[in-house]
Amino acid sequence: MKPLSRSWFFAITLLTLLSPLGSRIAPAADAVDWQPGDPAKGLPGLIPAPAEIPELGRWQIMPLPLRGYIEMVAFSPDGKSIAFADGGYVRIHNTFSMKLTGALLGHNGNVRAIDWSPDGKWIATAGEDSTVRIWKSTGEPGPILKGHTAAVRAVAWNADSQSLASAGLDGTIRFWQTDGTPGIVIDGHNAPVHTLDFSPDGKTLAAGDENHLVRLWNVDGTAGPVLKGHLGAITEVEWSRDGAWLATCDTGRVPVLLGQAQEPTIRLWTPDGKSGPVLSGHSRSINAVTWNPDSKKLVTAGEDRQVIVWDTDGNQLEVVDQGRKDRNDVFALDWHPDKPFFAAGGRFSVRYFSPNGPFGPTKLIRLPGTKLECIDWSPQDETLAVASRDGTVRIWSNGLRSETIIVAHNRPTNYVRFHPDGKRLATVSFDESLREWDTAGNLLQTHAVKGFIGRCISWSQDGDLLAACYRFNKGNCAVFRDGKDQESFVIHNGQPLSLDFNPQGTQIVSGGGDGKILLTRLTTDDTQRQTLAELTADDGDVDSVAWSPDGKWIASGHDSSVRLWHPDGQAGPVMSGFEAAVMRLDWSPDSKMLATGSWDTTVQLWNVNGEMIRKLPGHAAPCWGVSFSPDASQLATCGWDGVMRLLDTKTGEIQALAIFVADTEVIENDINERRQAAVSFNRAGQVLSGDPQILDARFVYLVEQPSGAMKILKPSEFFSQAPGADLKTTGNDE
């Protein structure tokens, strides 16, 4: 197949101009669908079962814009390259030009740890798939180290570059040789271990765990000093480059009862474990620490979105970043080996700073607009609605082959719900509007609302009522019948975050920032309305609630758990193990399965006994949407990584997916979001729908070489070698 020609593109453009606004032209009638390859032979990545293309080898597709939260950055010892994890990929860029120079692809899950060997010959990576992988610095894969029984969160090379250590949620620390030979196993923490670092002389390993302890271990596995003083889980340990100090950081104490809150701290220790200065200045969990090359300064970053420079006496020298809430979270830091700047990895961004502030023009930041906020499956057919940050709602059908774009709001669309008849849908936005549309994109009604609704709307099962909660208007809830506000009432003292009707449409369950779950009876007579039950669980905000279609269960999503309740308020099973808030819940139509989407990026299926049925492919950033198909055979998911997937609920396999990237059009409002452009693929990797210009500008194909290293190809280069891969659909019509 030849690369896309100009005549082909102009023909497509003409057809686009003649087509209805916001829709896509169907694939050509003679298009032949690729058949999926053997999943066991495919490379991990976005495409689940890449088609087997003769003479091409194994391949995957990778978006060029960042997709995920950058939780680890690491400069090469010579300072010429920087590696960081973006979901399941490890990307390697030139330090100064930020040009993509390599990609490490092999983990079956998000990568959580990266470390270069001191001699620069090796890279070690670790992730959610419980493995540690060793790579040559040229990108060729080496040994896969297996032994951990849970996600691996830390990896560190010893000074001799001949051995390394890893640690994870199973609480063990494991030593390995470069050839993959396992060594000593340390099982002395009795808690998940999140961070490791070898001292510069290679004699001591520091490890921090969730039990607030830092332990020093000798390289023969014998125990050294235990460092006590932190009041929260240990998030980072790092030795100064001269070996004179060990810096350790914590989350602080989470307030459970009034007066228990404790600000997080950075503590400095001497190599023999004696306590030194205590650094206080962050108001929330400290995510990362790095030392400058002469070991006289250190930098820390926290969830308070501050990046602070300190000296070794504990003095705060400078706050170099204290900025935008939408992208200034910093999760990872690393100081360049010999230059006066450091890298900060955060929400879809890698930026450079000097001790005085932002450094140089070079940075990687994903353009605004590509977060997916919500997904809902029509209760009547295969149609899907997706709400996104660019103010649109996209209606997908025909297995992600057809798309209609509704420009629903001038600010981010943060929630969408189909009417039970499947012929219309309701949307809400940050612009304080609540609107109804038909599936062709025609505006049917704008409701008179009195404030910001957030993500709190729900239809009754008969479709007669639409309820909405105002997040900042004293917890008021409005119930609309035939477009009119039937009644309004206060439902929470804190911010309402979620709500749902019971099957009869006579009660509402709501969850709020006050940590309460309320069951409220509705009636046209205000004197008869009452709170039927007030449920509480000591697990933070209630970000999501869902009443099962059979009416037997209420599910609530919390900071680290999902809880089931009987409608009379009696507590039922608890699903635990989440590392962050559960943002979305959806019951299967037969009420036998519950799907969860979490801020920790996971997607999981559960039964009504609280047992996990299956862990499904997660996202590279928080998951904000889960929705069952009408027959429960598929689950649709979406997240802030800009990825939407259709998953088989019996096997967990990906059936199709769409990847959203920022288009060139800037929306004219005060937040400068960009319109989205989406490209969809079947499970074999064939393009189903999308704009050829966007694809060529925002994606690359990774093709495995005989050495195992990845060759980076532009889509047009890949198409010339892969007959049938090129687009058969039109681009953006706007």
Side-chain angles (χ1 to χ4, degrees):
M1 180 67 69
K2 295 180 179 179
L4 305 179
S5 66
R6 294 186 65 185
S7 61
W8 184 93
F9 179 75
F10 285 125
I12 288 295
T13 303
L14 178 61
L15 289 171
T16 299
L17 294 174
L18 296 175
S19 67
L21 178 65
S23 63
R24 304 266 179 142
I25 294 175
D30 60 351
V32 177
D33 283 351
W34 279 358
Q35 294 304 306
D38 182 353
K41 296 180 181 178
L43 285 170
L46 288 172
I47 304 303
E52 296 176 0
I53 302 171
E55 300 181 2
L56 187 63
R58 300 200 302 171
W59 61 274
Q60 260 296 342
I61 190 168
M62 185 175 82
L64 278 174
L66 304 181
R67 291 192 308 120
Y69 285 14
I70 308 304
E71 298 182 3
M72 178 59 65
V73 293
F75 285 110
S76 60
D78 64 7
K80 294 180 180 180
S81 298
I82 183 170
F84 55 88
D86 183 14
Y89 298 98
V90 174
R91 300 161 59 118
I92 302 175
H93 289 250
N94 179 279
T95 295
F96 302 100
S97 69
M98 280 295 189
K99 180 182 178 180
L100 179 69
T101 59
L104 309 181
L105 189 55
H107 284 281
N108 288 297
N110 288 345
V111 177
R112 295 298 183 92
I114 303 171
D115 197 31
W116 296 78
S117 63
D119 62 9
K121 295 180 179 180
W122 303 96
I123 303 172
T125 63
E128 295 296 307
D129 61 1
S130 305
T131 69
V132 178
R133 293 170 184 258
I134 297 176
W135 316 76
K136 292 183 179 180
S137 59
T138 54
E140 299 168 26
I144 301 173
L145 314 182
K146 298 180 179 180
H148 287 283
T149 58
V152 185
R153 293 297 173 80
V155 63
W157 286 93
N158 204 336
D160 60 6
S161 298
Q162 300 301 308
S163 62
L164 66 156
S166 60
L169 302 188
D170 62 3
T172 66
I173 299 171
R174 294 173 180 268
F175 288 76
W176 314 85
Q177 298 300 312
T178 307
D179 62 2
T181 303
I184 298 166
V185 177
I186 297 174
D187 189 13
H189 278 264
N190 300 314
V193 180
H194 287 275
T195 177
L196 294 172
D197 196 32
F198 274 105
S199 60
D201 63 9
K203 296 179 179 179
T204 306
L205 178 69
D209 64 32
E210 283 192 6
N211 278 348
H212 314 172
L213 297 178
V214 177
R215 294 176 182 268
L216 302 185
W217 301 93
N218 300 313
V219 291
D220 62 1
T222 57
V226 178
L227 314 184
K228 300 179 180 179
H230 286 284
L231 295 177
I234 308 302
T235 56
E236 188 82 8
V237 298
E238 183 160 330
W239 291 92
S240 62
R241 303 192 187 194
D242 63 5
W245 293 104
L246 173 68
T248 62
C249 310
D250 66 37
T251 61
R253 178 181 287 162
V254 177
V256 176
L257 301 174
L258 186 64
Q260 277 197 341
Q262 176 68 45
E263 289 187 353
T265 59
I266 307 101
R267 293 174 177 266
L268 301 186
W269 313 81
T270 59
D272 58 1
K274 293 181 180 178
S275 180
V278 178
L279 290 56
S280 297
H282 287 283
S283 60
R284 299 184 65 182
S285 177
I286 300 166
N287 295 327
V289 61
T290 188
W291 289 88
N292 77 333
D294 66 10
S295 300
K296 294 181 179 179
K297 296 177 183 177
L298 64 158
V299 181
T300 57
E303 287 184 0
D304 57 3
R305 299 189 173 94
Q306 293 191 101
V307 178
I308 302 176
V309 183
W310 314 80
D311 64 22
T312 55
D313 292 326
N315 300 309
Q316 187 177 129
L317 302 179
E318 191 74 44
V319 178
V320 298
D321 190 37
Q322 194 174 25
R324 292 180 51 174
K325 66 180 181 180
D326 61 340
R327 70 182 182 207
N328 275 38
D329 278 348
V330 175
F331 306 114
L333 297 169
D334 194 34
W335 204 302
H336 191 275
D338 53 29
K339 301 293 184 183
F341 67 88
F342 57 90
R347 288 191 182 194
F348 318 109
S349 69
V350 177
R351 296 172 294 154
Y352 292 163
F353 292 91
S354 77
N356 300 315
F359 179 84
T362 303
K363 58 186 176 182
L364 285 173
I365 295 179
R366 191 177 80 173
L367 296 173
T370 50
K371 294 177 182 176
L372 301 181
E373 298 282 346
C374 181
I375 195 165
D376 197 35
W377 208 306
S378 168
Q380 301 299 327
D381 54 36
E382 64 169 352
T383 306
L384 283 161
V386 182
S388 60
R389 293 281 299 185
D390 67 350
T392 65
V393 172
R394 291 167 181 258
I395 309 296
W396 291 84
S397 58
N398 194 23
L400 302 189
R401 287 175 172 82
S402 303
E403 179 188 17
T404 298
I405 303 173
I406 303 173
V407 182
H409 302 274
N410 193 42
R411 288 177 66 86
T413 305
N414 52 318
Y415 210 66
V416 59
R417 292 296 296 268
F418 270 104
H419 187 275
D421 65 11
K423 297 178 180 178
R424 53 182 164 144
L425 56 154
T427 65
V428 294
S429 169
F430 291 162
D431 62 9
E432 300 186 357
S433 60
L434 171 58
R435 295 171 179 166
E436 292 185 39
W437 311 80
D438 65 22
T439 54
N442 300 305
L443 180 62
L444 303 178
Q445 190 164 15
T446 299
H447 294 280
V449 295
K450 303 171 184 177
F452 174 55
I453 296 172
R455 298 175 178 87
C456 296
I457 61 171
S458 179
W459 293 96
S460 60
Q461 284 195 13
D462 59 12
D464 289 345
L465 301 177
L466 175 63
C469 282
Y470 301 114
R471 188 163 182 178
F472 301 117
N473 190 11
K474 298 181 180 179
N476 277 348
C477 179
V479 179
F480 299 93
R481 184 189 295 272
D482 298 325
K484 297 179 181 179
D485 189 345
Q486 175 180 311
E487 59 176 325
S488 294
F489 49 90
V490 175
I491 201 166
H492 280 270
N493 291 324
Q495 298 177 6
L497 300 176
S498 52
L499 84 162
D500 198 22
F501 276 102
N502 71 342
Q504 296 76 30
T506 57
Q507 296 179 32
I508 281 179
V509 60
S510 59
D514 54 6
K516 296 178 181 178
I517 305 158
L518 300 183
L519 274 63
T520 304
R521 184 169 68 182
L522 302 178
T523 174
T524 55
D525 182 354
D526 288 352
T527 63
Q528 296 298 312
R529 187 184 63 249
Q530 60 178 298
T531 299
L532 300 176
E534 180 179 301
L535 315 177
T536 59
D538 188 15
D539 195 7
D541 296 347
V542 186
D543 289 288
S544 50
V545 292
W547 214 307
S548 64
D550 64 7
K552 295 181 179 179
W553 293 102
I554 296 167
S556 58
H558 305 262
D559 283 357
S560 60
S561 68
V562 171
R563 296 168 184 267
L564 298 186
W565 312 83
H566 295 281
D568 62 4
Q570 181 181 351
V574 177
M575 298 85 139
S576 57
F578 297 91
E579 294 186 47
V582 179
M583 308 306 298
R584 288 291 184 273
L585 299 168
D586 194 46
W587 287 95
S588 60
D590 61 7
S591 300
K592 294 182 178 180
M593 291 187 291
L594 179 69
T596 61
S598 173
W599 190 274
D600 67 10
T601 74
T602 61
V603 178
Q604 299 174 76
L605 294 180
W606 308 81
N607 64 26
V608 294
N609 296 322
E611 300 163 340
M612 185 192 299
I613 300 172
R614 182 169 293 107
K615 191 169 185 177
L616 300 172
H619 289 266
C623 175
W624 281 85
V626 292
S627 184
F628 279 101
S629 63
D631 62 2
S633 66
Q634 289 185 294
L635 183 77
T637 74
C638 69
W640 275 9
D641 57 357
V643 175
M644 176 179 71
R645 294 189 178 103
L646 304 186
L647 305 169
D648 187 301
T649 54
K650 290 184 178 179
T651 65
E653 294 178 347
I654 300 171
Q655 302 300 306
L657 73 155
I659 305 170
F660 292 70
V661 295
D663 206 339
T664 55
E665 179 188 356
V666 178
I667 304 168
E668 294 182 0
N669 60 25
D670 59 349
I671 55 176
N672 294 321
E673 298 282 359
R674 289 177 180 257
R675 290 287 182 218
Q676 289 183 346
V679 181
S680 64
F681 303 85
N682 63 17
R683 63 177 283 103
Q686 191 175 28
V687 179
L688 301 176
S689 174
D691 183 333
Q693 289 184 314
I694 288 291
L695 182 72
D696 212 47
R698 304 294 176 85
F699 292 83
V700 293
Y701 283 82
L702 306 176
V703 178
E704 188 179 50
Q705 302 304 287
S707 67
M710 294 293 112
K711 184 178 182 180
I712 301 170
L713 297 179
K714 291 184 177 181
S716 55
E717 296 172 323
F718 181 80
F719 294 164
S720 69
Q721 303 175 52
D726 59 333
L727 296 175
K728 302 296 182 184
T729 55
T730 69
N732 194 336
D733 308 354
E734 298 178 353

